[in-house]
Amino acid sequence: MSDSIIDCALIGDLPAQAARRFGTRVALEFQGRQWTYSAFSAEVDKLAASLQASGIQPGDRVATWTRNCAEAEFLFFAIIKAGAIAVPLNTRYRTQDLAYALQQSGSVMAIITSRIGPTDADALMAAALGQVESTQAGRLSATGAPALQQLVVMGASAIPGAQDWSGFLARAKSPAPAAVALDPDQPALMVYTSGTTGNPKGVLLNHSGIRLCRAHALSLGLHEDDVQLTYLPLFHTYALSLCVIGSFLVGARQILMEAFDAHAALTLTGEKRVTVVHGFDAHFNDFLQATRRASYDISSLRVGTLTVGAESSVALARDVQAHFCPTLSCYGMTEFWGAVTLSALDATLEQRCEASGMAHPGLEVRIVDPTTRAPAPLGAMGEIQVRGYSRMVGYYANPEATTKAFDADGWYRTGDAGMLRSDGHLRYLARYKDILKVGGENVSPAEVEAVLCAIHGVRAVAIVGAPHERLQEVPVAFVVTAPDGPADAQSVIDFCKGKIASFKIPRQVFFVDELPMTPTGKVQKEFLRQRLLAAAPDSTR
């Protein structure tokens, strides 16, 4: 099996290598169109040449903010092939998130689709950019993103100086880009991930992700006859590593969806004979609910991946095995290119449902006491720490956070609680970090708290997670106000709309006289969580 997987050192070279091996096989299908591996590689080359003709230099950051579409995959490889750093942005960002990412990344070019589903992305981008002037043909100046020089829009745009997609493509002077000397250790990708300190951090990743993707492919037994269904967003390493790169390594066919919809995904599964699916609890829960309401042909499904280990996931994982398809459990983080552990195909039912997989070769996972930092014995809970080849280059322009994330021996402090079992499997249990997981998306309470504190009359805010039957948890706000502050929950929720992604917006707002505090001045959020658990169980559905 390993001999059939492409051995490639540079992400940008992968489409060309796949074209040489799998040329006429279908690489990608999207909304009725197909691209063979040869055609896909040609699209990547054309875009890389257009980037170079537009003045993009090695090391430049190029942001993309697009719906799931074929062009998003072409751009992912093309930007990296041109020697630049791809910065795919979360499509659920709104003006404040978007402005921060564009500024912090120092992106010199942004490529967007004018609409993302029902959202007027062009209007949101205009608001995020602030005052915009067209400085010359194809160039602009924006007060909200000082480094940004070019904006390319697929679709109609009202932003001064924006280039249309066809004009951008016409810039290429040849159908192939000029060769760029690249080092596999150089940054290739920057993915924003939310932490506990407020604003998202830009995780710089190098080309080592290909090696991790090869490990995934081996564990999943991926081969050229597999058909992967890609509905996961292309701005996350989950989709980029397992769906996109994984397919190219083995010559599999990829069916791309613009957005996740259980009915549409299950219909495509039957029509296209999909064999591999990936997702979080919310995706598989929707699959199960859909199959209970209607009949679908899912007989082609061979395997899936599902993050499990926490007690809330065990019952769902067992239900998935019994009524949907076998899944392999995994655990990972953006800082290591995604899943660092994964079950084996021959794992037992118990291992697939109650553990989080085993570390891939070349990666190490250990458990330490969060207080003493001493290694914890087998079966004891402690902080999960990870070390190995796929570690991030660092947090972009944030050396302090990068240094804090690792110990002197190179172990990454995940902030997650787990244990190592006697069978070698990791089990993820909970988070030590103050971070929410909303339907697979990380949400920083500190970031949301900062937004709410900008409301006139709000004195203090605490964001905690409330249990949710589908999304695992959702944000809930506890707010202390002045006499002239907001008096109703809806006004607080409405203030957030258009400023932050919808999944970050609190589902409920509780007004309190004060927040419970420790003697050292920290909010005792556990007291607030207990209050939520005592509330009506269906209040956040």
Side-chain angles (χ1 to χ4, degrees):
M1 176 66 187
S2 60
D3 293 338
S4 64
I5 301 178
I6 290 177
D7 188 4
C8 180
L10 298 171
I11 294 169
D13 289 347
L14 185 55
Q17 289 198 27
R20 286 193 289 271
R21 183 178 295 191
F22 310 115
T24 59
R25 293 184 63 85
V26 174
L28 180 67
E29 293 187 28
F30 178 66
Q31 295 184 344
R33 296 189 64 190
Q34 292 185 344
W35 290 264
T36 65
Y37 275 94
S38 292
F40 191 107
S41 180
E43 294 285 350
V44 169
D45 282 351
K46 182 166 59 178
L47 280 172
S50 296
L51 289 163
Q52 291 178 338
S54 298
I56 296 301
Q57 300 294 315
D60 282 346
R61 273 81 64 205
V62 177
T64 57
W65 194 48
T66 73
R67 62 190 176 94
N68 270 16
C69 58
E71 290 80 6
E73 293 201 14
F74 303 152
L75 282 166
F76 167 66
F77 288 110
I79 292 168
I80 297 172
K81 186 165 189 172
I85 299 171
V87 188
L89 300 179
N90 193 318
T91 55
R92 296 173 76 180
Y93 278 175
R94 294 300 178 257
T95 54
Q96 186 166 312
D97 314 292
L98 191 57
Y100 174 80
L102 289 172
Q103 290 176 25
Q104 203 276 338
S105 67
S107 293
V108 299
M109 175 185 276
I111 302 174
I112 73 170
T113 48
S114 61
R115 297 200 67 83
I116 298 174
T119 302
D120 186 344
D122 189 69
L124 288 176
M125 176 61 75
L129 293 180
Q131 184 176 345
V132 182
E133 295 181 0
S134 177
T135 58
Q136 55 178 297
R139 295 293 191 275
L140 55 77
S141 172
T143 57
L148 193 70
Q149 301 171 21
Q150 300 183 69
L151 175 68
V152 179
V153 183
M154 296 180 225
S157 177
I159 301 174
Q163 305 174 50
D164 66 85
W165 182 246
S166 59
F168 169 68
L169 292 177
R171 285 178 171 266
K173 297 179 175 63
S174 74
V180 178
L182 296 175
D183 186 319
D185 292 331
Q186 290 177 320
L189 179 66
M190 188 191 303
V191 180
Y192 277 89
T193 184
S194 293
T196 60
T197 56
N199 289 315
K201 296 189 285 290
V203 179
L204 278 175
L205 300 168
N206 61 25
H207 299 262
S208 63
I210 288 188
R211 180 179 171 187
L212 186 64
C213 293
R214 282 175 57 87
H216 295 157
L218 282 169
S219 295
L220 288 162
L222 281 183
H223 53 77
E224 64 181 21
D225 291 328
D226 271 320
V227 180
Q228 295 213 80
L229 186 58
T230 303
Y231 41 75
L232 295 172
L234 294 172
F235 51 79
H236 279 329
T237 54
Y238 198 172
L240 293 173
S241 61
L242 281 158
C243 301
V244 181
I245 295 177
S247 294
F248 272 78
L249 288 172
V250 301
R253 182 157 52 109
Q254 192 189 157
I255 311 297
L256 179 64
M257 296 179 64
E258 183 174 343
F260 177 73
D261 175 87
H263 168 69
L266 291 168
T267 301
L268 280 172
T269 295
E271 293 175 352
K272 304 296 184 180
R273 308 303 296 162
V274 170
T275 62
V276 185
V277 292
H278 308 279
F280 295 100
D281 289 17
H283 299 103
F284 284 95
N285 183 67
D286 281 5
F287 282 146
L288 290 172
Q289 295 299 323
T291 55
R292 286 166 184 154
R293 291 191 299 265
S295 177
Y296 298 93
D297 180 4
I298 58 173
S299 60
S300 60
L301 288 176
R302 180 176 68 81
V303 70
T305 61
L306 171 63
T307 302
V308 298
E311 197 62 40
S312 60
S313 298
V314 173
L316 173 66
R318 289 190 174 273
D319 206 5
V320 169
Q321 317 301 310
H323 303 291
F324 192 66
C325 76
T327 60
L328 306 185
S329 56
C330 57
Y331 167 80
M333 64 289 301
T334 303
E335 286 84 351
F336 272 76
W337 257 105
V340 295
T341 68
L342 190 61
S343 305
L345 284 172
D346 61 356
T348 67
L349 177 64
E350 188 274 341
Q351 288 170 333
R352 285 183 278 122
C353 295
E354 299 192 26
S356 308
M358 299 178 68
H360 290 299
L363 297 177
E364 301 173 85
V365 174
R366 73 175 185 179
I367 306 297
V368 301
D369 183 289
T371 302
T372 67
R373 300 296 178 187
L378 287 177
M381 186 180 79
E383 183 189 36
I384 302 171
Q385 296 191 345
V386 182
R387 183 170 69 177
Y389 63 84
S390 66
R391 63 172 280 178
M392 66 177 177
V393 177
Y395 294 118
Y396 179 71
N398 198 340
E400 181 180 354
T402 303
T403 300
K404 187 177 179 180
F406 296 91
D407 73 7
D409 296 318
W411 288 98
Y412 174 69
R413 302 179 173 113
T414 68
D416 291 333
M419 65 173 64
L420 281 175
R421 307 183 345 162
S422 59
D423 61 3
H425 285 69
L426 171 72
R427 182 173 182 184
Y428 163 77
L429 296 170
R431 289 182 305 283
Y432 285 119
K433 288 181 178 179
D434 181 20
I435 192 166
L436 311 183
K437 181 75 79 171
V438 181
E441 297 280 1
N442 287 337
V443 174
S444 163
E447 180 188 3
V448 182
E449 287 161 0
V451 172
L452 297 190
C453 282
I455 301 174
H456 176 75
V458 170
R459 288 177 170 171
V461 178
I463 298 292
V464 297
H468 191 278
E469 63 181 3
R470 176 175 173 267
L471 300 176
Q472 187 173 340
E473 60 184 342
V474 292
V476 169
F478 288 85
V479 180
V480 179
T481 65
D484 61 343
D488 66 288
Q490 193 59 47
S491 66
V492 174
I493 293 171
D494 289 344
F495 181 85
C496 300
K497 293 179 179 178
K499 295 183 177 67
I500 55 176
S502 59
F503 60 86
K504 301 177 182 179
I505 297 175
R507 295 292 185 94
Q508 290 180 289
V509 177
F510 294 97
F511 293 97
V512 294
D513 293 331
E514 60 182 9
L515 298 175
M517 309 292 284
T518 67
T520 57
K522 294 183 179 180
V523 178
Q524 294 178 305
K525 291 191 174 183
E526 187 55 33
F527 289 170
L528 301 178
R529 295 187 186 99
Q530 292 302 319
R531 173 174 171 174
L532 288 177
L533 290 175
D538 61 347
S539 58
T540 58
R541 293 181 184 177

